[in-house]
Amino acid sequence: MRQFRPVPRRHLLGLAAAALAPLAAPSLARAQAGAQPGAWPSRGSIRLIAQFPPGGLVDTVGRLMAPALSQALGQTVVVENRAGAGGVIGTDYVSKQPADGYTLLVSHASVHVFSAATMPSLPFDPVTDFTHIGMLVEAPNVLMVRADSPFRTLEDYLAAARSRPVHYGSSGIGSAPHLLGAMMSHEARLPNLEHVPYRGSAPALQDLMAGQIESMFDPITTNVQMMKDGTLRCLGVSSPARLPAFPNVPTFAEQGFAQLTSAQWLGLSAPRNLPAPIAERLTGLVPALMARPELRQRLEELQTLPRSTPVLGSDFTALMREQIASWTAVARQFNIVVT
């Protein structure tokens, strides 16, 4: 009978490795490719964090952007809402994620500028803790009243606030709408214009419609339809020129408030130290995405559009720094501090 000699264990391991090498090589190559910034995105879906609740400005724009980004990158982009503390919670979350291109943020002036100007104890640096890709859109702010309001013009509104308390709602203390109201009160010398802060725009709008407050400052985006159907009347808009969809609504500048020419931008950002190839690819995509006809049409309907000249990369970061400095001065002037 033929006898079989045992094969030494080291030989068995060597044979196994040789047999598995052709199978392992492609997997190893894929893993190595996935680790290379140039191969991004090569694994899983990309999360686009919206730091405000569903239905608001950030969520609306994020859900318009996600399909366009998915198509351009060849990878699923999923919007994930992480709301709370006026957008600070979701923004802080992104600042502490790996800089691998799989977590992006719909950055918002409300947090990166206005919270930075009014909150001395933010848990992140709004500029240096992020890689800022570029500005997506700008949403002008509007001053709104109910359709049955006695205030038919801004002058009616100002006259009332000179003689009795008039309340305006906002999405919170230190928000852009709050600061705009404070600036209007100061410039027009309105001792009776009183701010009522809310935990977001939605509850403020509910109280406006219920008659609990007389007016509200807010970005136009989520209020367009109610303005079109006549449920809300707009007394002024913070855009430099009148909006095409509302040619009868004068700007604040036209009505003597030149300083109230501002908009709340939304941008695309990532955790700091995002690899340069990924940052460059995303930066190059932004202008093309914002020019897509289907996306552009929807943004035009919302009166929330990109700038004619894209603001990208270092220019976006520089703009952010300038705006933080400017609005910090305003917040100090009116002693608006969020603790």
Side-chain angles (χ1 to χ4, degrees), residues 70-306:
S70 296
Q71 186 175 356
L73 295 173
Q75 187 65 274
T76 302
V77 177
V78 179
V79 176
E80 182 178 312
N81 296 90
R82 285 183 174 265
V88 171
I89 289 176
T91 305
D92 182 48
Y93 171 80
V94 173
S95 75
K96 294 172 173 58
Q97 296 306 297
D100 56 8
Y102 290 92
T103 304
L104 304 176
L105 173 71
V106 183
S107 47
H108 188 3
S110 176
V111 181
H112 283 84
V113 173
F114 296 100
S115 290
T118 59
M119 296 180 67
S121 58
L122 280 175
F124 53 83
D125 187 297
V127 177
T128 61
D129 280 346
F130 298 86
T131 301
H132 294 297
I133 305 301
M135 183 188 294
L136 300 175
V137 294
E138 288 185 305
N141 292 284
V142 290
L143 174 59
M144 306 176 299
V145 297
R146 296 186 312 278
D148 62 355
S149 169
F151 309 138
R152 304 200 63 82
T153 66
L154 182 60
E155 186 51 47
D156 294 339
Y157 181 81
L158 300 178
R162 291 188 182 103
S163 61
R164 65 171 179 84
V166 174
H167 302 85
Y168 74 93
S170 81
S171 54
I173 297 175
S175 64
H178 177 197
L179 291 173
L180 289 173
M183 291 171 69
M184 176 176 284
S185 177
H186 173 75
E187 291 189 27
R189 296 179 176 83
L190 305 174
N192 297 305
L193 188 59
E194 298 184 2
H195 176 230
V196 182
Y198 289 84
R199 292 174 178 261
S201 297
L205 182 60
Q206 290 174 359
D207 269 10
L208 174 64
M209 299 311 299
Q212 299 301 312
I213 53 176
E214 292 107 315
S215 62
M216 176 180 173
F217 281 94
D218 201 43
I220 193 172
T221 311
T222 53
N223 300 293
V224 167
Q225 189 54 50
M226 295 182 75
M227 289 168 57
K228 284 184 175 179
D229 65 22
T231 305
L232 293 173
R233 179 184 303 129
C234 183
L235 303 181
V237 59
S238 70
S239 53
R242 296 193 183 197
L243 300 175
F246 301 100
N248 295 324
V249 176
T251 66
F252 290 127
E254 286 180 74
Q255 302 180 85
F257 295 94
Q259 286 188 299
L260 271 67
T261 303
S262 66
Q264 295 195 56
W265 52 256
L266 272 67
L268 185 65
S269 300
R272 68 177 172 182
N273 298 326
L274 187 68
I278 299 177
E280 290 167 3
R281 185 175 179 190
L282 286 169
T283 300
L285 277 178
V286 168
L289 291 177
M290 304 316 296
R292 289 193 172 200
E294 68 280 7
L295 184 59
R296 183 84 182 196
Q297 178 182 350
R298 181 60 181 140
L299 291 172
E300 286 178 352
E301 292 171 356
L302 297 173
Q303 302 296 295
T304 303
L305 295 168

